[in-house]
Amino acid sequence: MTSILVVDDERSMRDFLKILLVKEGYQVETAPDGSQALALIEEHNFNLVISDIRMDGMNGLELLSAIKERTPALPVVMITAFASPDDAVFAMKNGAFDYISKPFNVEEIKSVICSATSKNDQMAEARSISEAFPEIIGESREMVKIFEMIKRVAPTPANVLIYGESGTGKELVAQAIHQHSNVADKNFVPITCSAIPEELMESELFGHVKGSFTGATSNKEGLFQLANDGTAFLDEIGELTPIIQTKLLRVLQEREIKPVGGTQIQSVNVRIIAATNKILEEEIMAGRFREDLFYRLAVVPLRVPSLRERKTDVPLLVDFFLKKYSKLLKKEVQEISSYAMEVLMNYDFPGNVRELENIIERGVALESSTIILPESLTLSSFRFGKQEAAPQFNTRFQAVASEEELFERGLEEVITDLEKQLINTALEKSDYSKMRAAELLRISFRSLRYKVKKYNIG
Ligand SMILES: Nc1ncnc2c1ncn2[C@@H]1O[C@H](COP(=O)(O)OP(=O)(O)OP(=O)(O)O)[C@@H](O)[C@H]1O
Ligand SMILES: [Mg+2]
């Protein structure tokens, strides 16, 4: 049951809110001042606090900061007087979930409370499911969907095809599926299809017997023997040659293998997780990938979203990689400046999480203070380095003439302006082929098309 704490020094107001909220099915406690409110918060697990701003003693804004310090996840809704909009702004800046102004509109109160508590529920749910996957950072809706999918598919023997752009975490997902499976105590054996020359691939997959080819000096087990009763992870499956595709298909159908040069057939029981950053349907259309093999592998298809589709995870990932690399590189860099964070939030990460990881690793390595500044970020499509960037920037692209102008127009407008110039340049360079321009800018075609439409370019 959702429980709410109402804080107001005026008794009639406390009673009014209590009656209203109890009628709505909430459990309600009340406190007449900030210190009693804090004491109650210590004892109870509230889902929401509603507090007046103007109170004697500790005022509502002080209470808000005390709550944000102790239990930052607890949403607080402030009650403000209609006549003082500054209070509302201040409250929002200091972490209030929302505010309602007096005189009350009952519908408004209900809807604010409803969204505060349901947001809280969603966040708690996201946090609790993500706790089951400590290696995979993310609490966005997109990642929660992935976690739910992993939980559902892991205990089944179904083959899974994981697809998504490079650097999105496909290998981490494959490992998580194995760890949550019923064969977690058996082997998880990865193989990168593109890294093995065709003539060795068959032996890598199915093993070989001594003397079967030059260099086969002893019997060797292949992927299917090593992963027997466990999981085989076939990375970059889109790179398999037609001959190997056919052989693999046969193994999946018959659940039997024959080592290269061998005569004995061995039966195998292997769960296959495959991954690719290609769109296999396109490969099938182009005649490069067997459709029947695709259906055997993609019993459960699982798409890992790009980082630009789940920007809300960027701060969590930054935090995670900051800790990882300050420890690894023995540096005291613990934080990222808010401007640097804004730069990252506005970046679209063509290389996804791997690129963000590299950016933070380099940032930690380069930074001489304890906080990462924008200058220490090296983004693949932009260099924010002090020395290299400035001249290049000014000669070719003029986003802002002076500091005064920057502060007057504001970051959003300046970045938008620069973005338009850069897109125009790329379009000119590529004879207005959006496909080619997107490549030059190292963003996806979709994202370019969206921007061109949004800015009404071309
Ligand atoms: N959600 C995540 N949380 C923490 N680290 C992540 C996450 N996603 C990716 N990484 C890290 O980013 C790097 C790339 O991840 P991974 O190798 O799983 O990507 P991939 O999708 O297999 O990429 P590719 O298609 O290029 O092989 C790894 O170092 C991985 O640990
Ligand atoms: Mg990979």
Side-chain angles (χ1 to χ4, degrees), residues 166-199:
S166 187
T168 45
K170 296 187 289 297
E171 183 151 4
L172 288 182
V173 169
Q175 286 163 349
I177 293 173
H178 175 72
Q179 280 154 14
H180 285 79
S181 75
N182 302 330
V183 293
D185 57 332
K186 302 289 192 316
N187 289 340
F188 174 85
V189 188
I191 186 174
T192 304
C193 301
S194 62
I196 296 156
E198 168 156 32
E199 61 276 17

PDB file of all heavy atoms in Angstrom, residues 166-199:
ATOM      1  N   SER A 166      27.356  -2.084 -32.699  1.00  0.00           N
ATOM      2  CA  SER A 166      28.612  -2.407 -32.058  1.00  0.00           C
ATOM      3  C   SER A 166      28.761  -1.656 -30.729  1.00  0.00           C
ATOM      4  O   SER A 166      28.412  -0.484 -30.637  1.00  0.00           O
ATOM      5  CB  SER A 166      29.739  -2.005 -33.019  1.00  0.00           C
ATOM      6  OG  SER A 166      30.940  -2.437 -32.500  1.00  0.00           O
ATOM      7  N   GLY A 167      29.232  -2.347 -29.707  1.00  0.00           N
ATOM      8  CA  GLY A 167      29.508  -1.703 -28.432  1.00  0.00           C
ATOM      9  C   GLY A 167      28.310  -1.528 -27.521  1.00  0.00           C
ATOM     10  O   GLY A 167      28.376  -0.815 -26.522  1.00  0.00           O
ATOM     11  N   THR A 168      27.192  -2.180 -27.831  1.00  0.00           N
ATOM     12  CA  THR A 168      25.994  -1.999 -27.005  1.00  0.00           C
ATOM     13  C   THR A 168      25.959  -2.929 -25.797  1.00  0.00           C
ATOM     14  O   THR A 168      25.129  -2.764 -24.905  1.00  0.00           O
ATOM     15  CB  THR A 168      24.700  -2.234 -27.831  1.00  0.00           C
ATOM     16  OG1 THR A 168      24.872  -3.421 -28.611  1.00  0.00           O
ATOM     17  CG2 THR A 168      24.426  -1.070 -28.744  1.00  0.00           C
ATOM     18  N   GLY A 169      26.831  -3.942 -25.783  1.00  0.00           N
ATOM     19  CA  GLY A 169      26.857  -4.846 -24.641  1.00  0.00           C
ATOM     20  C   GLY A 169      26.297  -6.228 -24.950  1.00  0.00           C
ATOM     21  O   GLY A 169      25.843  -6.940 -24.045  1.00  0.00           O
ATOM     22  N   LYS A 170      26.365  -6.633 -26.213  1.00  0.00           N
ATOM     23  CA  LYS A 170      25.783  -7.923 -26.605  1.00  0.00           C
ATOM     24  C   LYS A 170      26.475  -9.089 -25.903  1.00  0.00           C
ATOM     25  O   LYS A 170      25.825 -10.049 -25.477  1.00  0.00           O
ATOM     26  CB  LYS A 170      25.876  -8.105 -28.129  1.00  0.00           C
ATOM     27  CG  LYS A 170      25.056  -7.064 -28.900  1.00  0.00           C
ATOM     28  CD  LYS A 170      25.031  -7.350 -30.376  1.00  0.00           C
ATOM     29  CE  LYS A 170      26.360  -7.107 -31.069  1.00  0.00           C
ATOM     30  NZ  LYS A 170      26.793  -5.689 -31.013  1.00  0.00           N
ATOM     31  N   GLU A 171      27.783  -8.971 -25.753  1.00  0.00           N
ATOM     32  CA  GLU A 171      28.499 -10.072 -25.103  1.00  0.00           C
ATOM     33  C   GLU A 171      28.118 -10.176 -23.623  1.00  0.00           C
ATOM     34  O   GLU A 171      27.968 -11.271 -23.082  1.00  0.00           O
ATOM     35  CB  GLU A 171      30.018  -9.869 -25.265  1.00  0.00           C
ATOM     36  CG  GLU A 171      30.791 -11.010 -24.686  1.00  0.00           C
ATOM     37  CD  GLU A 171      32.140 -11.240 -25.385  1.00  0.00           C
ATOM     38  OE1 GLU A 171      32.501 -10.448 -26.284  1.00  0.00           O
ATOM     39  OE2 GLU A 171      32.811 -12.208 -25.011  1.00  0.00           O
ATOM     40  N   LEU A 172      27.948  -9.013 -22.983  1.00  0.00           N
ATOM     41  CA  LEU A 172      27.514  -9.025 -21.571  1.00  0.00           C
ATOM     42  C   LEU A 172      26.149  -9.698 -21.430  1.00  0.00           C
ATOM     43  O   LEU A 172      25.913 -10.458 -20.493  1.00  0.00           O
ATOM     44  CB  LEU A 172      27.411  -7.594 -21.032  1.00  0.00           C
ATOM     45  CG  LEU A 172      28.713  -6.841 -20.771  1.00  0.00           C
ATOM     46  CD1 LEU A 172      28.396  -5.463 -20.201  1.00  0.00           C
ATOM     47  CD2 LEU A 172      29.580  -7.631 -19.802  1.00  0.00           C
ATOM     48  N   VAL A 173      25.266  -9.408 -22.380  1.00  0.00           N
ATOM     49  CA  VAL A 173      23.926 -10.006 -22.348  1.00  0.00           C
ATOM     50  C   VAL A 173      24.033 -11.526 -22.517  1.00  0.00           C
ATOM     51  O   VAL A 173      23.375 -12.288 -21.807  1.00  0.00           O
ATOM     52  CB  VAL A 173      23.020  -9.377 -23.436  1.00  0.00           C
ATOM     53  CG1 VAL A 173      21.726 -10.156 -23.596  1.00  0.00           C
ATOM     54  CG2 VAL A 173      22.718  -7.915 -23.084  1.00  0.00           C
ATOM     55  N   ALA A 174      24.899 -11.957 -23.438  1.00  0.00           N
ATOM     56  CA  ALA A 174      25.072 -13.401 -23.663  1.00  0.00           C
ATOM     57  C   ALA A 174      25.558 -14.076 -22.375  1.00  0.00           C
ATOM     58  O   ALA A 174      25.039 -15.128 -21.974  1.00  0.00           O
ATOM     59  CB  ALA A 174      26.070 -13.624 -24.796  1.00  0.00           C
ATOM     60  N   GLN A 175      26.525 -13.461 -21.715  1.00  0.00           N
ATOM     61  CA  GLN A 175      27.035 -14.036 -20.466  1.00  0.00           C
ATOM     62  C   GLN A 175      25.943 -14.094 -19.400  1.00  0.00           C
ATOM     63  O   GLN A 175      25.825 -15.076 -18.667  1.00  0.00           O
ATOM     64  CB  GLN A 175      28.212 -13.209 -19.937  1.00  0.00           C
ATOM     65  CG  GLN A 175      29.482 -13.429 -20.744  1.00  0.00           C
ATOM     66  CD  GLN A 175      30.519 -12.348 -20.512  1.00  0.00           C
ATOM     67  OE1 GLN A 175      30.231 -11.314 -19.911  1.00  0.00           O
ATOM     68  NE2 GLN A 175      31.732 -12.577 -21.018  1.00  0.00           N
ATOM     69  N   ALA A 176      25.134 -13.016 -19.348  1.00  0.00           N
ATOM     70  CA  ALA A 176      24.066 -12.972 -18.335  1.00  0.00           C
ATOM     71  C   ALA A 176      23.040 -14.076 -18.582  1.00  0.00           C
ATOM     72  O   ALA A 176      22.537 -14.672 -17.634  1.00  0.00           O
ATOM     73  CB  ALA A 176      23.398 -11.597 -18.338  1.00  0.00           C
ATOM     74  N   ILE A 177      22.744 -14.341 -19.846  1.00  0.00           N
ATOM     75  CA  ILE A 177      21.788 -15.417 -20.146  1.00  0.00           C
ATOM     76  C   ILE A 177      22.340 -16.745 -19.623  1.00  0.00           C
ATOM     77  O   ILE A 177      21.636 -17.519 -18.985  1.00  0.00           O
ATOM     78  CB  ILE A 177      21.506 -15.509 -21.666  1.00  0.00           C
ATOM     79  CG1 ILE A 177      20.766 -14.256 -22.135  1.00  0.00           C
ATOM     80  CG2 ILE A 177      20.683 -16.766 -21.986  1.00  0.00           C
ATOM     81  CD1 ILE A 177      20.595 -14.167 -23.647  1.00  0.00           C
ATOM     82  N   HIS A 178      23.617 -16.971 -19.869  1.00  0.00           N
ATOM     83  CA  HIS A 178      24.217 -18.219 -19.381  1.00  0.00           C
ATOM     84  C   HIS A 178      24.189 -18.274 -17.850  1.00  0.00           C
ATOM     85  O   HIS A 178      23.822 -19.288 -17.263  1.00  0.00           O
ATOM     86  CB  HIS A 178      25.653 -18.350 -19.895  1.00  0.00           C
ATOM     87  CG  HIS A 178      26.376 -19.545 -19.348  1.00  0.00           C
ATOM     88  ND1 HIS A 178      26.068 -20.828 -19.763  1.00  0.00           N
ATOM     89  CD2 HIS A 178      27.348 -19.672 -18.409  1.00  0.00           C
ATOM     90  CE1 HIS A 178      26.839 -21.691 -19.097  1.00  0.00           C
ATOM     91  NE2 HIS A 178      27.617 -21.009 -18.271  1.00  0.00           N
ATOM     92  N   GLN A 179      24.551 -17.164 -17.214  1.00  0.00           N
ATOM     93  CA  GLN A 179      24.597 -17.162 -15.751  1.00  0.00           C
ATOM     94  C   GLN A 179      23.233 -17.385 -15.106  1.00  0.00           C
ATOM     95  O   GLN A 179      23.145 -17.905 -14.006  1.00  0.00           O
ATOM     96  CB  GLN A 179      25.189 -15.835 -15.240  1.00  0.00           C
ATOM     97  CG  GLN A 179      26.709 -15.820 -15.332  1.00  0.00           C
ATOM     98  CD  GLN A 179      27.267 -14.409 -15.464  1.00  0.00           C
ATOM     99  OE1 GLN A 179      26.545 -13.428 -15.238  1.00  0.00           O
ATOM    100  NE2 GLN A 179      28.534 -14.314 -15.836  1.00  0.00           N
ATOM    101  N   HIS A 180      22.182 -16.946 -15.790  1.00  0.00           N
ATOM    102  CA  HIS A 180      20.834 -17.143 -15.236  1.00  0.00           C
ATOM    103  C   HIS A 180      20.178 -18.418 -15.762  1.00  0.00           C
ATOM    104  O   HIS A 180      18.994 -18.641 -15.534  1.00  0.00           O
ATOM    105  CB  HIS A 180      19.950 -15.934 -15.532  1.00  0.00           C
ATOM    106  CG  HIS A 180      20.281 -14.751 -14.673  1.00  0.00           C
ATOM    107  ND1 HIS A 180      21.350 -13.930 -14.930  1.00  0.00           N
ATOM    108  CD2 HIS A 180      19.713 -14.279 -13.536  1.00  0.00           C
ATOM    109  CE1 HIS A 180      21.406 -12.986 -14.010  1.00  0.00           C
ATOM    110  NE2 HIS A 180      20.432 -13.174 -13.145  1.00  0.00           N
ATOM    111  N   SER A 181      20.930 -19.242 -16.483  1.00  0.00           N
ATOM    112  CA  SER A 181      20.344 -20.455 -17.054  1.00  0.00           C
ATOM    113  C   SER A 181      20.459 -21.618 -16.071  1.00  0.00           C
ATOM    114  O   SER A 181      21.086 -21.488 -15.016  1.00  0.00           O
ATOM    115  CB  SER A 181      21.063 -20.810 -18.358  1.00  0.00           C
ATOM    116  OG  SER A 181      22.334 -21.364 -18.064  1.00  0.00           O
ATOM    117  N   ASN A 182      19.873 -22.746 -16.441  1.00  0.00           N
ATOM    118  CA  ASN A 182      19.991 -23.941 -15.591  1.00  0.00           C
ATOM    119  C   ASN A 182      21.333 -24.639 -15.769  1.00  0.00           C
ATOM    120  O   ASN A 182      21.615 -25.612 -15.098  1.00  0.00           O
ATOM    121  CB  ASN A 182      18.878 -24.933 -15.937  1.00  0.00           C
ATOM    122  CG  ASN A 182      17.512 -24.297 -15.764  1.00  0.00           C
ATOM    123  OD1 ASN A 182      17.341 -23.408 -14.919  1.00  0.00           O
ATOM    124  ND2 ASN A 182      16.550 -24.719 -16.563  1.00  0.00           N
ATOM    125  N   VAL A 183      22.132 -24.166 -16.731  1.00  0.00           N
ATOM    126  CA  VAL A 183      23.434 -24.793 -16.962  1.00  0.00           C
ATOM    127  C   VAL A 183      24.564 -23.818 -16.610  1.00  0.00           C
ATOM    128  O   VAL A 183      25.653 -23.893 -17.150  1.00  0.00           O
ATOM    129  CB  VAL A 183      23.580 -25.290 -18.420  1.00  0.00           C
ATOM    130  CG1 VAL A 183      22.615 -26.435 -18.686  1.00  0.00           C
ATOM    131  CG2 VAL A 183      23.347 -24.163 -19.421  1.00  0.00           C
ATOM    132  N   ALA A 184      24.255 -22.911 -15.669  1.00  0.00           N
ATOM    133  CA  ALA A 184      25.234 -21.889 -15.297  1.00  0.00           C
ATOM    134  C   ALA A 184      26.537 -22.505 -14.770  1.00  0.00           C
ATOM    135  O   ALA A 184      27.600 -21.897 -14.852  1.00  0.00           O
ATOM    136  CB  ALA A 184      24.637 -20.947 -14.261  1.00  0.00           C
ATOM    137  N   ASP A 185      26.426 -23.726 -14.218  1.00  0.00           N
ATOM    138  CA  ASP A 185      27.640 -24.364 -13.689  1.00  0.00           C
ATOM    139  C   ASP A 185      28.442 -25.073 -14.786  1.00  0.00           C
ATOM    140  O   ASP A 185      29.534 -25.557 -14.547  1.00  0.00           O
ATOM    141  CB  ASP A 185      27.270 -25.354 -12.582  1.00  0.00           C
ATOM    142  CG  ASP A 185      26.278 -26.407 -13.065  1.00  0.00           C
ATOM    143  OD1 ASP A 185      25.497 -26.106 -14.003  1.00  0.00           O
ATOM    144  OD2 ASP A 185      26.292 -27.527 -12.531  1.00  0.00           O
ATOM    145  N   LYS A 186      27.877 -25.125 -15.999  1.00  0.00           N
ATOM    146  CA  LYS A 186      28.606 -25.723 -17.128  1.00  0.00           C
ATOM    147  C   LYS A 186      29.354 -24.625 -17.888  1.00  0.00           C
ATOM    148  O   LYS A 186      29.270 -23.451 -17.537  1.00  0.00           O
ATOM    149  CB  LYS A 186      27.605 -26.455 -18.053  1.00  0.00           C
ATOM    150  CG  LYS A 186      26.797 -27.531 -17.359  1.00  0.00           C
ATOM    151  CD  LYS A 186      27.692 -28.712 -17.026  1.00  0.00           C
ATOM    152  CE  LYS A 186      26.939 -29.955 -16.597  1.00  0.00           C
ATOM    153  NZ  LYS A 186      25.841 -29.778 -15.646  1.00  0.00           N
ATOM    154  N   ASN A 187      30.033 -25.038 -18.955  1.00  0.00           N
ATOM    155  CA  ASN A 187      30.867 -24.068 -19.654  1.00  0.00           C
ATOM    156  C   ASN A 187      30.084 -23.059 -20.485  1.00  0.00           C
ATOM    157  O   ASN A 187      29.057 -23.377 -21.075  1.00  0.00           O
ATOM    158  CB  ASN A 187      31.833 -24.796 -20.599  1.00  0.00           C
ATOM    159  CG  ASN A 187      32.912 -25.525 -19.810  1.00  0.00           C
ATOM    160  OD1 ASN A 187      33.154 -25.202 -18.649  1.00  0.00           O
ATOM    161  ND2 ASN A 187      33.538 -26.508 -20.440  1.00  0.00           N
ATOM    162  N   PHE A 188      30.643 -21.860 -20.541  1.00  0.00           N
ATOM    163  CA  PHE A 188      30.214 -20.828 -21.490  1.00  0.00           C
ATOM    164  C   PHE A 188      31.413 -20.617 -22.398  1.00  0.00           C
ATOM    165  O   PHE A 188      32.459 -20.157 -21.956  1.00  0.00           O
ATOM    166  CB  PHE A 188      29.875 -19.544 -20.739  1.00  0.00           C
ATOM    167  CG  PHE A 188      29.560 -18.369 -21.635  1.00  0.00           C
ATOM    168  CD1 PHE A 188      28.281 -18.176 -22.135  1.00  0.00           C
ATOM    169  CD2 PHE A 188      30.545 -17.436 -21.974  1.00  0.00           C
ATOM    170  CE1 PHE A 188      27.990 -17.088 -22.958  1.00  0.00           C
ATOM    171  CE2 PHE A 188      30.254 -16.347 -22.793  1.00  0.00           C
ATOM    172  CZ  PHE A 188      28.976 -16.177 -23.281  1.00  0.00           C
ATOM    173  N   VAL A 189      31.296 -21.030 -23.653  1.00  0.00           N
ATOM    174  CA  VAL A 189      32.472 -20.978 -24.529  1.00  0.00           C
ATOM    175  C   VAL A 189      32.228 -20.017 -25.686  1.00  0.00           C
ATOM    176  O   VAL A 189      31.350 -20.255 -26.521  1.00  0.00           O
ATOM    177  CB  VAL A 189      32.809 -22.372 -25.092  1.00  0.00           C
ATOM    178  CG1 VAL A 189      34.141 -22.336 -25.839  1.00  0.00           C
ATOM    179  CG2 VAL A 189      32.844 -23.402 -23.979  1.00  0.00           C
ATOM    180  N   PRO A 190      32.956 -18.902 -25.709  1.00  0.00           N
ATOM    181  CA  PRO A 190      32.763 -17.938 -26.785  1.00  0.00           C
ATOM    182  C   PRO A 190      33.680 -18.220 -27.973  1.00  0.00           C
ATOM    183  O   PRO A 190      34.771 -18.763 -27.807  1.00  0.00           O
ATOM    184  CB  PRO A 190      33.152 -16.613 -26.139  1.00  0.00           C
ATOM    185  CG  PRO A 190      34.121 -16.979 -25.064  1.00  0.00           C
ATOM    186  CD  PRO A 190      33.879 -18.412 -24.677  1.00  0.00           C
ATOM    187  N   ILE A 191      33.215 -17.855 -29.147  1.00  0.00           N
ATOM    188  CA  ILE A 191      34.049 -17.948 -30.336  1.00  0.00           C
ATOM    189  C   ILE A 191      33.675 -16.758 -31.217  1.00  0.00           C
ATOM    190  O   ILE A 191      32.507 -16.413 -31.324  1.00  0.00           O
ATOM    191  CB  ILE A 191      33.810 -19.299 -31.055  1.00  0.00           C
ATOM    192  CG1 ILE A 191      34.771 -19.468 -32.219  1.00  0.00           C
ATOM    193  CG2 ILE A 191      32.389 -19.441 -31.533  1.00  0.00           C
ATOM    194  CD1 ILE A 191      34.654 -20.865 -32.848  1.00  0.00           C
ATOM    195  N   THR A 192      34.688 -16.094 -31.774  1.00  0.00           N
ATOM    196  CA  THR A 192      34.403 -14.958 -32.648  1.00  0.00           C
ATOM    197  C   THR A 192      34.557 -15.408 -34.089  1.00  0.00           C
ATOM    198  O   THR A 192      35.656 -15.657 -34.559  1.00  0.00           O
ATOM    199  CB  THR A 192      35.365 -13.785 -32.347  1.00  0.00           C
ATOM    200  OG1 THR A 192      35.238 -13.466 -30.965  1.00  0.00           O
ATOM    201  CG2 THR A 192      35.020 -12.566 -33.180  1.00  0.00           C
ATOM    202  N   CYS A 193      33.438 -15.543 -34.757  1.00  0.00           N
ATOM    203  CA  CYS A 193      33.439 -16.166 -36.086  1.00  0.00           C
ATOM    204  C   CYS A 193      34.340 -15.438 -37.073  1.00  0.00           C
ATOM    205  O   CYS A 193      34.990 -16.057 -37.901  1.00  0.00           O
ATOM    206  CB  CYS A 193      32.021 -16.247 -36.631  1.00  0.00           C
ATOM    207  SG  CYS A 193      30.938 -17.198 -35.556  1.00  0.00           S
ATOM    208  N   SER A 194      34.389 -14.091 -36.966  1.00  0.00           N
ATOM    209  CA  SER A 194      35.151 -13.339 -37.964  1.00  0.00           C
ATOM    210  C   SER A 194      36.655 -13.484 -37.753  1.00  0.00           C
ATOM    211  O   SER A 194      37.439 -13.193 -38.639  1.00  0.00           O
ATOM    212  CB  SER A 194      34.786 -11.866 -37.873  1.00  0.00           C
ATOM    213  OG  SER A 194      35.137 -11.399 -36.585  1.00  0.00           O
ATOM    214  N   ALA A 195      37.064 -13.951 -36.578  1.00  0.00           N
ATOM    215  CA  ALA A 195      38.499 -13.966 -36.268  1.00  0.00           C
ATOM    216  C   ALA A 195      39.177 -15.248 -36.730  1.00  0.00           C
ATOM    217  O   ALA A 195      40.392 -15.374 -36.629  1.00  0.00           O
ATOM    218  CB  ALA A 195      38.697 -13.790 -34.765  1.00  0.00           C
ATOM    219  N   ILE A 196      38.389 -16.193 -37.243  1.00  0.00           N
ATOM    220  CA  ILE A 196      38.962 -17.488 -37.581  1.00  0.00           C
ATOM    221  C   ILE A 196      38.914 -17.715 -39.092  1.00  0.00           C
ATOM    222  O   ILE A 196      37.857 -17.575 -39.709  1.00  0.00           O
ATOM    223  CB  ILE A 196      38.191 -18.603 -36.847  1.00  0.00           C
ATOM    224  CG1 ILE A 196      38.392 -18.405 -35.347  1.00  0.00           C
ATOM    225  CG2 ILE A 196      38.644 -19.987 -37.279  1.00  0.00           C
ATOM    226  CD1 ILE A 196      37.313 -19.011 -34.525  1.00  0.00           C
ATOM    227  N   PRO A 197      40.050 -18.051 -39.699  1.00  0.00           N
ATOM    228  CA  PRO A 197      40.055 -18.289 -41.138  1.00  0.00           C
ATOM    229  C   PRO A 197      39.174 -19.480 -41.490  1.00  0.00           C
ATOM    230  O   PRO A 197      39.050 -20.427 -40.700  1.00  0.00           O
ATOM    231  CB  PRO A 197      41.523 -18.600 -41.458  1.00  0.00           C
ATOM    232  CG  PRO A 197      42.268 -18.546 -40.191  1.00  0.00           C
ATOM    233  CD  PRO A 197      41.355 -18.228 -39.070  1.00  0.00           C
ATOM    234  N   GLU A 198      38.567 -19.413 -42.660  1.00  0.00           N
ATOM    235  CA  GLU A 198      37.588 -20.425 -43.036  1.00  0.00           C
ATOM    236  C   GLU A 198      38.120 -21.848 -42.906  1.00  0.00           C
ATOM    237  O   GLU A 198      37.427 -22.743 -42.424  1.00  0.00           O
ATOM    238  CB  GLU A 198      37.087 -20.186 -44.471  1.00  0.00           C
ATOM    239  CG  GLU A 198      36.300 -21.390 -44.989  1.00  0.00           C
ATOM    240  CD  GLU A 198      35.329 -21.070 -46.091  1.00  0.00           C
ATOM    241  OE1 GLU A 198      35.614 -20.157 -46.878  1.00  0.00           O
ATOM    242  OE2 GLU A 198      34.280 -21.732 -46.138  1.00  0.00           O
ATOM    243  N   GLU A 199      39.399 -22.039 -43.314  1.00  0.00           N
ATOM    244  CA  GLU A 199      39.916 -23.411 -43.336  1.00  0.00           C
ATOM    245  C   GLU A 199      40.069 -23.985 -41.923  1.00  0.00           C
ATOM    246  O   GLU A 199      40.129 -25.200 -41.746  1.00  0.00           O
ATOM    247  CB  GLU A 199      41.212 -23.509 -44.157  1.00  0.00           C
ATOM    248  CG  GLU A 199      42.383 -22.681 -43.670  1.00  0.00           C
ATOM    249  CD  GLU A 199      42.361 -21.220 -44.155  1.00  0.00           C
ATOM    250  OE1 GLU A 199      41.285 -20.733 -44.605  1.00  0.00           O
ATOM    251  OE2 GLU A 199      43.404 -20.554 -44.068  1.00  0.00           O
TER     252      GLU A 199
END
